[in-house]
Amino acid sequence: MPRISPARTRPARTALAVTLLTATAAVTAACGDTGGLRGAGATPTATSPAKLWPHLSPATSPAWNYDDGESELVRGITAPGDDIHKVDPVAVVREEIRRHPDDYTSAKAPYAGTTRRLADCAEGAGHGNCPVLKPYYRDLTGDGRDDLTLGFRLLPGNQTAVRVYTFESDRLVQVMSNDDAVSGVELAGRSVIIHSPSDIADYEYRFQWTWDPDQRVMLLTHDEMLRTGGGKGGKRDRRVPPSPSPTPSPTVSPSASVGAG
């Protein structure tokens, strides 16, 4: 970039500004615009937050489980140089099934269908009828190494499990876990954003999980209900029977494809 000489005086800079303004006015006039200012309407009056019940004793513990986030060690799975690209995603899901028999293998396991369908994973995640979806890789923890974002279908229902794994001191650790009806997933910065359908038409739930370096887990930092369509809203018609065909895999945003491999 050329160096601007300090000898340039204020009158010279003023003359240059006048020249630019004149040229701008000429272009505007050529476009048929009078160049006059137009009012944007009345500015709404700013209203400060009104604090309610100032004498109410504050709560000291949560009443509900807000998915505060917790890590879980995945035993028996390692990779040379802690390269998470060399970890078999199907093996990771098999290990989760082993750790949580009540969910996957017991007599009343709600996700027994996932266990049965793992037999279709001979070609690996993301192929054929394998319930384990294509893995995605991105540095979500900020340590300069890729982490694993993994999804798999919770069968026979229409929910999807979303997990994030990282290596810590030669150990594979699950740092994020979410099970829900999923319509889309995105990766943005240090966050995983999950879109879920709402009971109200033209709205969706959007959950953002973000890496917290102090807690060393991903925390649920945003939980929103957002408008997605231009309709009149209203409740979805629950009388429509579910389709007998398998629920398609969740849509993955193009932003999530960064670092995929």
Side-chain angles (χ1 to χ4, degrees):
M1 180 176 181
R3 183 166 177 251
I4 298 176
S5 171
R8 177 172 288 185
T9 61
R10 182 184 297 273
R13 291 195 296 270
T14 303
L16 177 61
V18 170
T19 301
L20 292 174
L21 288 173
T22 302
T24 303
V27 172
T28 303
C31 295
D33 193 338
T34 59
L37 298 177
R38 297 180 180 179
T43 302
T45 303
T47 304
S48 61
K51 185 175 182 179
L52 307 185
W53 308 304
H55 302 296
L56 183 67
S57 298
T60 58
S61 60
W64 313 105
N65 178 11
Y66 285 102
D67 292 323
D68 291 332
E70 58 183 23
S71 62
E72 185 173 358
L73 178 64
V74 182
R75 300 184 184 276
I77 296 182
T78 60
D82 288 353
D83 184 356
I84 206 159
H85 292 263
K86 298 180 180 179
V87 170
D88 180 5
V90 177
V92 174
V93 176
R94 291 188 188 279
E95 175 58 21
E96 171 162 335
I97 290 174
R98 188 195 66 79
R99 296 196 315 270
H100 302 282
D102 289 346
D103 292 335
Y104 298 102
T105 57
S106 68
K108 298 182 179 180
Y111 309 132
T114 298
T115 305
R116 290 192 296 270
R117 283 271 296 276
L118 282 183
D120 298 328
C121 294
E123 297 182 11
H127 292 84
N129 292 323
C130 179
V132 184
L133 307 177
K134 175 184 176 181
Y136 284 85
Y137 302 90
R138 176 182 285 193
D139 179 13
L140 295 173
T141 59
D143 62 359
R145 301 181 305 171
D146 278 346
D147 304 300
L148 168 63
T149 302
L150 182 61
F152 58 95
R153 304 293 289 155
L154 296 173
L155 304 171
N158 67 345
Q159 291 191 328
T160 301
V162 179
R163 308 282 189 263
V164 174
Y165 300 89
T166 188
F167 269 110
E168 294 183 359
S169 303
D170 300 324
R171 301 182 304 174
L172 185 65
V173 180
Q174 176 185 289
V175 294
M176 179 250 173
S177 173
N178 184 86
D179 299 336
D180 206 343
V182 173
S183 56
V185 180
E186 297 171 304
L187 300 181
R190 300 284 183 259
S191 298
V192 177
I193 303 171
I194 299 176
H195 302 254
S196 296
S198 165
D199 284 337
I200 302 177
D202 304 316
Y203 281 84
E204 74 169 8
Y205 293 108
R206 202 169 299 176
F207 307 98
Q208 179 172 334
W209 295 77
T210 305
W211 172 253
D212 186 290
D214 296 323
Q215 302 297 323
R216 302 203 62 76
V217 295
M218 301 193 76
L219 301 178
L220 183 59
T221 53
H222 292 82
D223 182 348
E224 304 174 289
M225 186 178 190
L226 300 177
R227 189 172 183 85
T228 59
K232 297 182 179 180
K235 291 286 186 179
R236 296 183 187 274
D237 189 352
R238 293 180 175 271
R239 296 171 297 176
V240 178
S243 172
S245 60
T247 305
S249 300
T251 302
V252 180
S253 165
S255 65
S257 62
V258 178

